[in-house]
């Protein structure tokens, strides 16, 4: 299919090109004023758009439409309604009105809302987001929407994201105005690199843990891991290649700019990176990509795992969130070589450093999940400590500014630098080394937030980043109010220096995986929230609520509801994992071990009967290992059972989460270790599930 990529690209999207072609020019212009200029949408315009959208969708084979939205748990939701409208004479018309396009009322009572809606008025509304294009998926016209309660409170991930994009746009424009620039269209740009595993459907079906929890709760390390580093960027096996080709085609049809695909570090692990887009679309596209990956894998006898840590001891999967700002399409984080633009760059950089330091706990919280708890700090992903990597050159500049050593910096680096007359150094593009251990790294002309896990909806991390940076920009713009020319430059540099001094603790260019960094970070007073239970409560900190409320991104009610939903989700997941674990131990592992032990005993007895004088110590040792293992497993099973029931009954969700993290999860780890130890004692014939060797090395 690849020869006609430009023909299929976007063919299932009601994009600007289709709109320009199909809509009357007044309607098109009015809609563009909404999409690009943020003007409210008129119902007359909506009616015309709806009609045209429906005609287009029917031509493409669609029979239904849906308001596609992002509830607080899970990834996306949809409910399909047909266009069908029967008429009196027995025929049916296909109808779709502006009202249906703009608003819908799903029976939303069973979506998580963290107490925002009492069940007796469980009404939720979805509202059209015209800034993300409608598209067709499996004969359904999908309309990206925001989801809110009867009282207008956000019940989804998209609403606060859209609010945060507006907020940062306003503040960036205020800062640009100080540099004498006219108001421009400011976009947050995002590119999400998506990691995932592909395994065969056959092994998946034999593992209850994978089917119900998306990760293996048991499994001894494979004989071969990733030590040969042959998988990373290695040749892609044919089955996987077929999958990737189909995926690319499907994504391209949806106008998703899938760009790079390659094998990842771990066996059976892969990555897809798109070309970055405006944040709202990039995130819709990431969610669609994840869905397509899961759906299409089955066409190839494969299952796509998007869990952060499907296999113990094997690298987990993340979702690197590349983030930048652009003004009329021009990247604002391009260090550039024009001196006056460098001052602007340094202001933006300083605001970002301030934001990440001030709101480090919120950023950590935004990536917290039961799955990501296994990944962060496991020597394969950044630790649970937020820090910024700037690279050698930028770090040296920050250092010089903080210590008033600009002139020395200049001579050391042979770069003219005289801040007083605004000739800042010219930066080289791609001046940053690759530091893969940093959670938040400057990579040439953008930041890469590496903490998000593969399964998360990246909306929240970006919402927080946008809002926190808006706060930094606002404090700069407020401080510079009314200044221009030389006084502005002087004050701006003084502000940069002071702010950097206040926040330089967040900058760390060393090895983020090392134990020394953990100690050093503690000394610097940086937060280190190891588990989801530890990371969530910061949502209720006054300072964080104030941030969201100051910019109207979330109100206190909305924040509290999010906190509740997250806690509940965490507790429910641990509960499911504990139950699956117990079930597997009781019904699979213990019977298998017992039957193998019986076989060993019987053989021992038989051999003894024939050769009473033979040395049977090896067989006896195996039998002892088996019986001792069974004893340990039984003991831990009882302990898990009791603790799990006790913790599950705790009514306070935070307390329940704390106990899950500190009591239930550690017992699960111990139980797993005991079972795994026997995986290399019991004969393969008796072992009830496929091993890591079999799951990870298929063809
Ligand atoms: P690497 O992570 O190896 O540096 P790339 O430089 O190709 O890889 O970029 C990774 C991701 O960052 C891609 O999805 C890319 O589109 C995205 N990206 C590049 N520039 C920007 C930008 N200005 N804003 C947001 N994302 C960007
Ligand atoms: Mg990357």
């Amino acid at each position: 299919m690849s020869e006609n990529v430009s023909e299929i690209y976007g063919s299932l999207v009601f994009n600007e090109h289709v709109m320009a072609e199909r809509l009357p020019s007044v309607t098109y212009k009015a809609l563009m004023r909404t999409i690009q200029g943020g003007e409210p949408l008129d119902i007359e315009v909506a009616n015309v758009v709806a009609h045209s959208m429906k005609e287009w969708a029917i031509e493409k084979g669609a029979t239904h439409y849906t308001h596609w939205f992002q509830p607080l748990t899970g990834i996306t939701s949809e409910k399909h309604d047909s266009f069908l409208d029967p008429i009196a004479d027995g025929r049916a018309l296909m109808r779709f009105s502006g009202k249906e396009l703009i608003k819908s009322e799903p029976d939303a009572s069973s979506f998580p809302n963290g107490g925002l809606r009492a069940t007796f008025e469980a009404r939720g509304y979805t509202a059209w987001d015209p800034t993300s294009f409608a598209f067709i998926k499996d004969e359904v016209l999908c309309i990206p929407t925001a989801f809110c309660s009867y009282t207008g409170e956000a019940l989804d991930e998209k609403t606060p994201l859209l609010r945060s994009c507006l907020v940062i746009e306003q503040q960036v424009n205020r800062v640009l105005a100080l540099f004498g620039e006219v108001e421009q269209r400011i976009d947050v740009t995002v590119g999400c690199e998506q990691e995932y595993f592909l395994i065969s459907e056959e092994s998946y079906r034999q593992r209850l843990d994978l089917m119900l929890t998306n990760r293996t709760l048991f499994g001894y390390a494979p004989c071969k891991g990733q030590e040969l580093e042959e998988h990373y960027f290695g040749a892609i096996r044919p089955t996987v290649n077929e999958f990737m080709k189909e995926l690319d085609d499907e994504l391209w049809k949806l106008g998703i700019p899938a760009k790079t695909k390659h094998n990842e570090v771990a066996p059976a692990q892969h990555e897809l990176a798109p070309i970055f887009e405006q944040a709202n679309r990039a995130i819709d596209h990431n969610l669609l990509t994840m869905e397509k990956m899961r759906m299409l894998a089955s066409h190839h006898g494969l299952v796509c795992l998007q869990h952060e840590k499907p296999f113990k001891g094997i690298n987990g999967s993340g979702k690197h969130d590349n983030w930048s700002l652009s003004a009329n399409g021009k990247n604002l984080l391009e260090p550039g070589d024009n001196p006056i633009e460098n001052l602007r760059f340094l202001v933006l950089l300083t605001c970002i450093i301030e934001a990440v330091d001030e709101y480090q706990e919120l950023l950590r919280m935004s990536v917290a999940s039961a799955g990501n708890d296994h990944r962060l700090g496991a020597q394969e992903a950044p630790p649970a400590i937020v820090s910024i990597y700037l690279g050698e050159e930028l770090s040296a500049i920050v250092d010089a500014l903080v210590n008033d050593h600009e002139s020395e910096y200049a001579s050391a680096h042979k770069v003219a630098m005289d801040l007083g007359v605004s000739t800042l150094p010219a930066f080289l593009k791609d001046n940053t080394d690759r530091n893969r251990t940093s959670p938040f790294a400057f990579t040439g002309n953008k930041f890469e937030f590496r903490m998000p896990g593969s399964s998360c909806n990246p909306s929240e991390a970006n919402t927080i980043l946008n809002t926190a940076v808006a706060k930094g920009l606002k404090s700069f713009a407020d401080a510079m109010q009314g200044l221009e020319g030389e006084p502005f430059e002087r004050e701006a540099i003084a502000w940069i220096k002071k702010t950097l001094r206040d926040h330089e603790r967040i900058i760390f260019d060393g090895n983020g995986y090392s134990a020394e960094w953990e100690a050093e970070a503690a000394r610097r007073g940086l937060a280190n929230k190891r588990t989801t239970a530890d990371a969530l409560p910061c949502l209720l900190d006054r300072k964080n609520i104030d941030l969201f409320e100051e910019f109207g991104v979330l109100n206190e009610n909305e924040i509290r509801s999010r906190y509740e939903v997250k806690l509940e989700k965490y507790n429910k997941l641990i509960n499911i994992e504990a139950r699956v674990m117990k079930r597997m131990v009781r019904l699979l592992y213990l019977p298998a071990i017992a039957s193998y032990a019986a076989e060993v005993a019987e053989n021992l007895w038989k051999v003894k009967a024939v050769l009473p004088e033979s040395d049977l110590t090896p067989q006896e040792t195996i039998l002892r290992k088996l019986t001792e293992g069974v004893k340990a497993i039984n003991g831990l099973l009882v302990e898990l059972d009791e603790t799990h029931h006790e913790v599950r009954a705790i009514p306070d969700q935070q307390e329940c989460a704390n106990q899950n993290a500190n009591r239930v999860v550690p017992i699960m780890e111990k139980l797993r270790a005991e079972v795994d130890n026997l995986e290399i004692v019991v004969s393969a014939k008796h072992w009830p599930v496929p091993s890591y060797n079999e799951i990870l090395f298929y063809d």
Side-chain angles (χ1 to χ4, degrees):
M1 188 140 346
S2 344
E3 69 275 9
N4 58 359
V5 174
S6 58
E7 223 169 84
I8 61 163
Y9 192 81
S11 59
L12 295 178
V13 186
F14 195 73
N15 55 26
E16 256 178 63
H17 176 72
V18 178
M19 292 183 209
E21 227 171 44
R22 293 186 161 246
L23 294 174
S25 124
V26 273
T27 313
Y28 175 72
K29 283 187 189 138
L31 185 58
M32 283 304 131
R33 281 197 299 276
T34 300
I35 295 177
Q36 288 167 358
E39 278 185 26
L41 190 81
D42 188 87
I43 183 71
E44 293 307 320
V45 173
N47 276 327
V48 179
V49 176
H51 177 76
S52 161
M53 226 186 230
K54 179 204 72 185
E55 295 292 306
W56 169 83
I58 289 172
E59 277 169 37
K60 300 269 178 192
T63 52
H64 289 67
Y65 72 92
T66 183
H67 276 202
W68 186 74
F69 61 99
Q70 304 169 25
L72 290 181
T73 55
I75 293 294
T76 57
S77 290
E78 51 195 73
K79 174 194 76 165
H80 304 163
D81 282 305
S82 71
F83 293 122
L84 207 70
D85 188 9
I87 49 177
D89 66 3
R91 289 175 304 155
L93 297 177
M94 299 294 256
R95 265 194 230 279
F96 184 50
S97 69
K99 224 176 100 214
E100 288 166 311
L101 167 63
I102 291 179
K103 193 176 105 177
S104 160
E105 191 183 336
D107 173 17
S109 50
S110 43
F111 287 106
N113 59 71
L116 265 189
R117 284 166 302 153
T119 24
F120 60 83
E121 51 135 58
R123 292 163 76 168
Y125 293 101
T126 48
W128 182 30
D129 164 22
T131 61
S132 185
F133 301 132
F135 56 91
I136 294 172
K137 184 167 64 79
D138 302 325
E139 300 173 4
V140 178
L141 169 67
C142 299
I143 300 152
T145 54
F147 181 39
C148 60
S149 76
Y150 186 60
T151 50
E153 279 161 326
L155 294 171
D156 69 346
E157 303 276 13
K158 187 192 267 274
T159 306
L161 176 77
L162 291 174
R163 291 174 184 159
S164 75
C165 288
L166 280 180
V167 157
I168 198 169
E169 172 162 28
Q170 285 160 0
Q171 299 303 329
V172 170
N173 266 319
R174 282 186 68 204
V175 170
L176 293 189
L178 289 162
F179 287 90
E181 296 187 35
V182 293
E183 188 157 321
Q184 298 168 64
R185 185 188 162 95
I186 305 300
D187 279 314
V188 174
T189 53
V190 167
C192 296
E193 301 165 55
Q194 179 72 42
E195 290 180 340
Y196 60 98
F197 279 83
L198 285 175
I199 62 167
S200 82
E201 218 160 25
E202 204 187 328
S203 20
Y204 177 81
R205 297 261 163 248
Q206 296 175 62
R207 302 244 0 180
L208 188 67
D209 46 2
L210 279 175
M211 290 200 291
L212 297 189
T213 72
N214 281 313
R215 75 175 181 111
T216 53
L217 299 172
F218 301 94
Y220 196 88
C223 304
K224 168 169 139 178
Q226 55 210 42
E227 62 274 30
L228 296 177
E229 294 176 348
E230 59 190 353
H231 194 255
Y232 192 55
F233 284 20
I236 299 171
R237 59 187 125 192
T239 340
V240 170
N241 209 17
E242 285 308 308
F243 161 82
M244 287 180 169
K245 279 199 258 179
E246 190 186 358
L247 179 63
D248 273 342
D249 284 344
E250 291 293 305
L251 296 180
W252 290 335
K253 286 183 204 162
L254 291 168
I256 299 176
K259 170 89 172 157
T260 313
K261 50 184 179 184
H262 60 80
N263 285 350
E264 256 304 326
V265 177
Q269 191 186 29
H270 314 279
E271 178 184 303
L272 182 145
I275 295 170
F276 68 91
E277 301 175 274
Q278 178 254 51
N280 180 33
R281 279 182 209 161
I283 291 169
D284 280 357
H285 283 166
N286 174 254
L287 301 177
L288 259 178
T289 300
M290 291 171 72
E291 179 181 323
K292 281 288 170 194
M293 282 175 172
R294 292 193 305 270
M295 301 292 169
L296 297 179
S298 68
H299 295 180
H300 306 271
L302 299 169
V303 173
C304 176
L305 303 176
Q306 293 167 347
H307 192 280
E308 281 77 11
K309 193 75 177 174
F311 304 100
K312 189 180 174 187
I314 299 284
N315 266 17
S317 301
K319 172 156 24 211
H320 294 175
D321 186 83
N322 294 273
W323 180 97
S324 190
L325 290 165
S326 79
N328 283 351
K330 202 164 168 293
N331 188 350
L332 287 170
L333 294 188
E334 194 69 68
D337 47 23
N338 180 341
I340 192 67
E341 277 190 7
N342 280 343
L343 179 57
R344 191 184 77 178
F345 171 76
L346 281 191
V347 169
L348 294 174
L349 181 70
T350 304
C351 291
I352 294 168
I353 291 170
E354 180 183 26
V356 173
D357 185 34
E358 277 294 327
Y359 299 102
Q360 50 177 287
E361 293 192 26
L362 275 183
L363 284 170
R364 162 68 184 101
M365 182 284 304
S366 75
V367 303
S369 68
N372 221 12
D373 281 0
H374 298 287
R375 177 178 160 263
L376 298 177
Q379 302 297 310
E380 54 164 281
I385 308 162
V386 175
S387 66
I388 300 182
Y389 170 81
L390 290 178
E392 203 181 332
E393 187 171 5
L394 285 189
S395 281
I397 289 170
V398 166
D399 210 51
L401 288 165
V402 164
N403 298 304
D404 284 326
H405 285 159
E406 300 95 89
S407 46
E408 279 167 45
Y409 171 82
S411 58
H413 287 74
K414 297 196 179 62
V415 181
M417 183 167 176
D418 177 357
L419 288 173
V421 294
S422 80
T423 47
L424 299 177
F427 302 103
L428 303 169
K429 184 174 158 30
D430 275 331
N431 51 358
T432 50
D433 309 327
R434 299 272 165 210
N435 179 330
R436 297 282 170 198
T437 67
S438 174
F440 198 86
F442 187 70
T443 49
N445 58 4
K446 63 182 192 293
F447 277 96
E448 184 170 343
F449 186 33
R450 302 203 180 105
M451 287 173 110
S454 50
S455 75
C456 83
N457 179 333
S459 293
E460 193 177 30
N462 287 290
T463 299
I464 288 168
L465 200 50
N466 295 346
T467 313
V469 173
K471 168 98 178 163
L473 295 164
K474 180 170 183 288
S475 68
F476 175 76
D478 288 350
M480 298 298 128
Q481 196 75 40
L483 294 174
E484 51 185 85
E486 197 269 333
F488 163 67
E489 282 180 17
R490 192 168 12 95
E491 289 303 314
I493 289 162
W495 183 89
I496 288 171
K497 288 185 174 186
K498 179 182 182 309
T499 310
L500 288 177
R501 276 180 203 127
D502 290 346
H503 298 286
E504 65 174 328
R505 65 172 185 167
I506 198 77
I507 299 169
F508 175 66
D509 282 1
N511 178 5
Y513 296 177
S514 67
E516 294 83 65
W517 168 232
E518 228 181 303
E520 164 68 10
R523 206 186 51 72
R524 295 188 189 184
L526 299 177
N528 185 1
K529 309 284 183 190
R530 277 171 232 270
T531 68
T532 300
D534 293 338
L536 296 182
C538 81
L539 264 175
L540 303 184
D541 289 354
R542 195 67 250 168
K543 168 181 154 183
N544 294 332
I545 295 177
D546 286 348
L547 172 74
F548 290 122
E549 290 207 317
E550 176 179 354
F551 291 95
V553 170
L554 287 170
N555 66 29
E556 187 162 345
N557 259 344
E558 291 169 321
I559 297 166
R560 288 185 179 277
S561 77
R562 264 146 232 266
Y563 168 69
E564 293 296 329
V565 169
K566 282 168 185 291
L567 273 179
E568 265 181 34
K569 183 174 180 186
Y570 174 77
N571 288 330
K572 282 178 185 164
L573 280 173
I574 303 291
N575 180 43
I576 293 170
E577 288 192 351
R579 294 182 72 189
V580 171
M581 205 164 202
K582 290 189 298 186
R583 196 71 56 93
M584 286 177 79
V585 169
R586 286 190 190 123
L587 303 188
L588 295 174
Y589 292 115
L590 283 177
I593 299 162
S595 112
Y596 181 60
E599 191 177 302
V600 173
E602 196 179 322
N603 288 344
L604 249 175
W605 184 66
K606 283 181 186 159
V607 174
K608 236 179 206 158
V610 183
L611 290 175
E613 74 287 0
S614 61
D615 178 8
L616 295 171
T617 328
Q619 288 93 319
E620 282 167 12
T621 309
I622 288 180
L623 194 55
R624 201 157 292 121
K625 272 192 190 162
L626 292 172
T627 50
E628 281 165 7
V630 165
K631 184 162 176 243
I633 290 170
N634 264 314
L636 286 161
L637 184 62
V638 170
E639 197 184 337
L640 177 61
D641 198 43
E642 286 172 4
T643 315
H644 167 227
H645 284 134
E646 186 193 318
V647 172
R648 198 171 56 174
I650 298 174
D652 181 85
Q653 289 295 299
Q654 179 66 56
E655 185 51 29
C656 178
N658 295 346
Q659 304 237 7
N660 268 324
N662 299 325
R663 291 178 64 202
V664 177
V665 171
I667 301 171
M668 286 169 63
E669 284 301 312
K670 280 195 222 156
L671 176 55
R672 172 195 185 128
E674 290 297 339
V675 173
D676 290 355
N677 280 340
L678 292 188
E679 186 174 337
I680 49 165
V681 179
V682 173
S683 89
K685 175 167 100 245
H686 285 81
W687 203 245
V689 299
S691 69
Y692 276 17
N693 285 326
E694 291 157 307
I695 300 174
L696 292 167
F697 300 91
Y698 62 96
D699 24 65

